[in-house]
Amino acid sequence: MINKYLTIFKISWQEGLVYRLNFILWRVRTILQLLLVYFIWWTVFQSQTQIFGYTQSSILTYILVSAIIRAVVLSSRATDVSNQINDGSVVNFLIKPLGFISYYFSRDLADKLLNILFVILEVSLIIVLLKPPIFLQTNPNTLILFTLAAILGILTYFCIGFVISLTAFWVENSWGPLFLMFIFLEGFGGGLFPIDILPRGVFNFLMLTPFPYLIYFPAKIYLGHFSANEIFLYFSILIFWVITLWFLMRWMVNMGLRHYTAVGH
Amino acid sequence: MVNPVISVKNLKKYYSVHQKEPGLLGSIKSLFKRKYIVVKAVDGVSFKIDEGELVGFIGPNGAGKTTTLKVLSGLLYPTSGEARVLGFEPFKRQPDFQKKISLVMGQKNQLWWDLPAWETFILNKEIYEILQKRFEETVKQLARMLDVEDILKVQVRKLSLGQRMKCELIAALLHQPQVLFLDEPTIGLDVVAQKTMRDFIKEYNERFNATIVLTSHYMGDVKELCKRVIIINEGKILYDGLLTEIVEKFAPYKIIKADFEKMVDKDKLIGFGEIKNYDGLYVEIQLSKEEVAKKAAKLLSSFAVADLTIEDPAIEDIIRQVFKKGTV
Ligand SMILES: Nc1ncnc2c1ncn2[C@@H]1O[C@H](COP(=O)(O)OP(=O)(O)OP(=O)(O)O)[C@@H](O)[C@H]1O
Ligand SMILES: [Mg+2]
């Protein structure tokens, strides 16, 4: 049983090796993006010591930690799903004793493992070269919560990506919704800036949506910025989303395959 | 009494196709009012297939062959009627069912394009939970039968069409399915590869007593492989029975082909039968079975004949006739 998924893991990596140039270019892009955000904040703090309640140390730590989280949470095969639905290769799942969701989740995890190796290397390099005044979280409880939040974030992202991609079962082009999702993620996920620098009302509203839980939430847990009450509240919302999205995804897979086998392809 | 492996009763599969008028205006119109037409791809089909049978499923383009195979392998939900394969209802797609069947479509592929076929085999091994030892034996055996032992480790995108098709077949057969649906498995292959494929299909059928349903537009495939054929057109079965019987039923005539040593006047050949082909030194005459012996003897005694053969009409011609008439 577990072998099935290990093999999917391995074969995904092998395929990745074929496209190693793409992979490297993509890593270069992420590093440049990271450095850009890093230096913007670094410059801002040249003239001030505190902005929006952040010190230079906490904001730079936020940026680096969020880079690591992004590599784990955001890498997703969502677009593959809609491509496979459109080009008909989804038939391979219908004919074999192989779960649609578990297959993609395995492939996704394979990507994540590779990404996290690289991003840790990259961030370490930045730390060694630029010597930013980063904050090292040492409280084990906080680190456990951080990990938990990141795992739930992985699930949330996976479900959102899947739910959107699965619309390919009904509409010919799910590129639009996917694009919108990426915008939302970049803007409200917290990858570019911590979203609590937004007005309070906007912030509170965003915290009801799943987006800030992908990057912002775990990063802020790492920094130790939440009170116990906030942790409890936000985890409740996050878990609500994970469960809702999970069932929505399952339902859409079933409905989608049913639709697919009814209308033909 | 043994249950048939495949049993289909009054099976129907209708597609509803959205019709769009051409052009931008048509696109906009179709946003508001969609016109649908119903395509009766399979329209009330019934048949039974027993274990170990190798049945040819033939019919012109759009007849409903692929649709039927898709229903039987669980890719399509039937509109109505019943389809059972190995006692399972295919559309439920139970793993126990999926492990016992396979579908190969000449037009579709499952191999990972960027990796050697071998990697897809390994993945299938895990998906179908095949034991290591049996996996190794099966791959070896199949690769030898298809003569592709030395290309299993080559990136699939670098293989020729024929080599790829053979690897597709191996990937589809690793779990030794008892029921095999082959949709145009020889499409686009050269004669040599076609022959290898045919021999292989035959051998697989015999060695594993596998039940095979095969579609093909090459009558050669059908003639060589299938004792029984099901002819389908516009979603309806026109004929279901032995291939040899269709010849008798549809073509109660024979063809005499004769080469002459000297030019023979066409007029002199009148009375032998219907002349299908004539060029002075060669003639093809179609005539009834009863007359064939007598007329052949007469031909031999009347002219200087260099060579003479008596043949059944080409199966292609008969099938074409069946399609044209619409019934048997
Ligand atoms: N997904 C689909 N949606 C709508 N109509 C379809 C679909 N698939 C097939 N059809 C229609 O159903 C009919 C039967 O198609 P099918 O593919 O079963 O034919 P076939 O016998 O396999 O033909 P061929 O020899 O060309 O492969 C055709 O009229 C085809 O246009
Ligand atoms: Mg077809």
Side-chain angles (χ1 to χ4, degrees):
Chain A
M1 214 31 213
I2 191 79
N3 276 347
K4 206 185 272 194
Y5 301 107
L6 278 179
T7 309
I8 297 172
F9 237 74
K10 255 176 44 194
I11 198 168
S12 297
W13 278 357
Q14 273 166 317
E15 193 187 40
L17 270 177
V18 177
Y19 291 109
R20 49 190 172 267
L21 185 65
N22 277 4
F23 180 77
I24 290 167
L25 288 178
W26 178 64
R27 286 316 317 171
V28 169
R29 210 203 73 175
T30 25
I31 297 174
L32 290 180
Q33 191 178 345
L34 170 60
L35 285 177
L36 182 73
V37 178
Y38 178 93
F39 280 114
I40 288 175
W41 283 107
W42 188 80
T43 315
V44 167
F45 275 97
Q46 288 314 92
S47 51
Q48 277 150 303
T49 51
Q50 196 156 17
I51 305 169
F52 306 122
Y54 282 86
T55 62
Q56 188 192 30
S57 160
S58 57
I59 201 79
L60 293 183
T61 308
Y62 179 93
I63 296 302
L64 294 179
V65 170
S66 70
I68 295 177
I69 298 169
R70 174 198 285 268
V72 194
V73 172
L74 297 202
S75 69
S76 176
R77 296 230 160 222
T79 43
D80 286 14
V81 179
S82 48
N83 288 342
Q84 293 218 331
I85 293 170
N86 286 328
D87 74 15
S89 39
V90 68
V91 160
N92 287 329
F93 297 97
L94 289 167
I95 198 107
K96 293 177 187 179
L98 177 65
F100 199 55
I101 298 175
S102 43
Y103 170 80
Y104 279 107
F105 199 62
S106 308
R107 297 209 60 180
D108 210 16
L109 283 184
D111 289 352
K112 288 180 197 312
L113 212 63
L114 207 62
N115 281 334
I116 195 153
L117 291 179
F118 273 82
V119 79
I120 286 180
L121 211 79
E122 292 156 16
V123 168
S124 311
L125 216 64
I126 290 179
I127 292 174
V128 170
L129 293 180
L130 302 178
K131 300 192 178 57
I134 51 159
F135 166 72
L136 262 186
Q137 180 60 262
T138 48
N139 183 336
N141 289 339
T142 308
L143 288 174
I144 288 172
L145 284 177
F146 165 73
T147 313
L148 193 64
I151 291 172
L152 291 173
I154 290 175
L155 287 174
T156 309
Y157 186 93
F158 182 80
C159 293
I160 295 178
F162 230 79
V163 163
I164 293 175
S165 303
L166 287 170
T167 57
F169 275 124
W170 294 273
V171 296
E172 265 156 44
N173 198 338
S174 53
W175 184 83
L178 270 174
F179 183 69
L180 211 62
M181 177 185 78
F182 291 131
I183 303 247
F184 269 48
L185 288 174
E186 288 301 335
F188 306 134
L192 297 176
F193 56 88
I195 60 162
D196 56 355
I197 67 177
L198 294 170
R200 201 70 205 163
V202 177
F203 170 78
N204 283 337
F205 171 74
L206 284 179
M207 288 310 281
L208 293 175
T209 72
F211 301 109
Y213 295 92
L214 302 174
I215 296 175
Y216 170 80
F217 183 56
K220 287 285 273 191
I221 292 181
Y222 177 89
L223 286 174
H225 282 185
F226 287 128
S227 67
N229 278 344
E230 281 171 325
I231 294 259
F232 180 77
L233 172 68
Y234 293 148
F235 260 111
S236 309
I237 298 175
L238 174 54
I239 288 169
F240 163 81
W241 275 118
V242 170
I243 293 173
T244 310
L245 288 166
W246 177 262
F247 281 105
L248 180 63
M249 172 180 72
R250 291 281 305 267
W251 181 77
M252 278 185 68
V253 168
N254 289 337
M255 294 306 286
L257 290 179
R258 190 178 297 179
H259 178 74
Y260 199 66
T261 54
V263 300
H265 27 87
Chain B
M1 173 78 206
V2 213
N3 283 327
V5 168
I6 300 172
S7 102
V8 173
K9 261 191 229 131
N10 202 17
L11 180 73
K12 293 182 181 167
K13 179 68 201 179
Y14 294 176
Y15 296 110
S16 105
V17 185
H18 163 215
Q19 277 215 310
K20 189 178 96 55
E21 287 168 48
L24 183 63
L25 199 67
S27 303
I28 295 171
K29 259 197 209 163
S30 75
L31 273 180
F32 300 102
K33 205 170 137 214
R34 292 199 153 203
K35 267 202 241 154
Y36 287 94
I37 51 160
V38 173
V39 176
K40 299 180 175 179
V42 176
D43 196 17
V45 157
S46 307
F47 57 84
K48 284 190 166 71
I49 296 177
D50 288 321
E51 187 178 5
E53 272 195 279
L54 205 172
V55 177
F57 206 51
I58 51 185
N61 289 134
K65 304 179 296 291
T66 302
T67 305
T68 309
L69 293 194
K70 280 181 172 173
V71 171
L72 290 178
S73 46
L75 299 184
L76 280 178
Y77 194 94
T79 304
S80 72
E82 197 184 285
R84 282 186 167 270
V85 176
L86 294 163
F88 293 93
E89 290 174 286
F91 66 85
K92 286 191 178 157
R93 297 198 307 276
Q94 287 143 297
D96 276 343
F97 167 69
Q98 292 173 320
K99 284 183 185 175
K100 290 179 183 140
I101 65 140
S102 204
L103 166 71
V104 180
M105 294 195 261
Q107 327 264 34
K108 279 251 159 65
N109 47 300
Q110 63 156 319
L111 297 173
W112 286 47
W113 195 243
D114 295 308
L115 298 175
W118 179 256
E119 301 299 337
T120 307
F121 297 170
I122 300 241
L123 185 59
N124 276 4
K125 163 182 176 274
E126 300 303 340
I127 289 173
Y128 289 104
E129 292 163 349
I130 306 164
L131 295 176
Q132 180 69 26
K133 191 155 167 283
R134 175 153 159 204
F135 167 76
E136 280 167 14
E137 282 168 8
T138 315
V139 174
K140 221 159 134 194
Q141 194 178 16
L142 297 179
R144 194 175 326 117
M145 283 160 80
L146 286 167
D147 191 26
V148 286
E149 286 147 301
D150 46 346
I151 54 155
L152 298 183
K153 305 264 165 93
V154 179
Q155 210 183 17
V156 170
R157 65 160 74 244
K158 292 182 181 143
L159 298 180
S160 77
L161 176 69
Q163 292 170 326
R164 214 168 63 220
M165 216 33 231
K166 289 173 183 175
C167 292
E168 285 286 347
L169 205 57
I170 296 180
L173 294 179
L174 282 179
H175 58 293
Q176 298 189 357
Q178 298 166 23
V179 178
L180 184 57
F181 302 110
L182 299 172
D183 196 14
E184 304 186 37
T186 55
I187 194 165
L189 302 186
D190 68 31
V191 257
V192 180
Q194 262 185 36
K195 175 92 175 73
T196 321
M197 240 11 168
R198 280 179 203 163
D199 291 346
F200 175 80
I201 293 168
K202 195 176 218 154
E203 194 173 343
Y204 187 85
N205 166 250
E206 284 163 6
R207 190 177 293 190
F208 299 103
N209 197 27
T211 310
I212 301 179
V213 183
L214 166 138
T215 82
S216 179
H217 289 291
Y218 301 110
M219 285 316 298
D221 291 346
V222 180
K223 237 188 311 193
E224 200 169 304
L225 293 173
C226 313
K227 261 202 255 159
R228 173 179 167 196
V229 292
I230 296 176
I231 302 180
I232 181 172
N233 192 15
E234 293 178 355
K236 292 195 159 70
I237 290 184
L238 300 183
Y239 177 82
D240 178 357
L242 297 178
L243 189 62
T244 48
E245 265 173 29
I246 197 174
V247 175
E248 304 200 343
K249 204 162 175 180
F250 251 84
Y253 57 83
K254 297 257 179 186
I255 310 265
I256 295 181
K257 293 183 179 172
D259 283 302
F260 302 116
E261 279 166 2
K262 296 195 294 262
M263 292 288 273
V264 171
D265 253 5
K266 200 171 182 180
D267 293 346
K268 292 194 179 148
L269 293 168
I270 288 171
F272 280 91
E274 193 183 333
I275 296 176
K276 285 280 180 187
N277 213 335
Y278 167 84
D279 76 352
L281 280 173
Y282 172 76
V283 72
E284 278 180 30
I285 304 169
Q286 177 180 316
L287 68 182
S288 74
K289 272 187 183 145
E290 293 74 36
E291 288 183 312
V292 73
K294 212 172 68 204
K295 291 284 161 88
K298 190 167 171 213
L299 203 67
L300 285 168
S301 60
S302 318
F303 308 102
V305 175
D307 190 20
L308 184 141
T309 55
I310 299 171
E311 291 176 10
D312 280 322
I315 196 89
E316 285 86 347
D317 293 339
I318 304 175
I319 301 291
R320 203 175 307 130
Q321 217 173 315
V322 178
F323 293 164
K324 242 188 3 225
K325 271 181 83 174
T327 60
V328 172

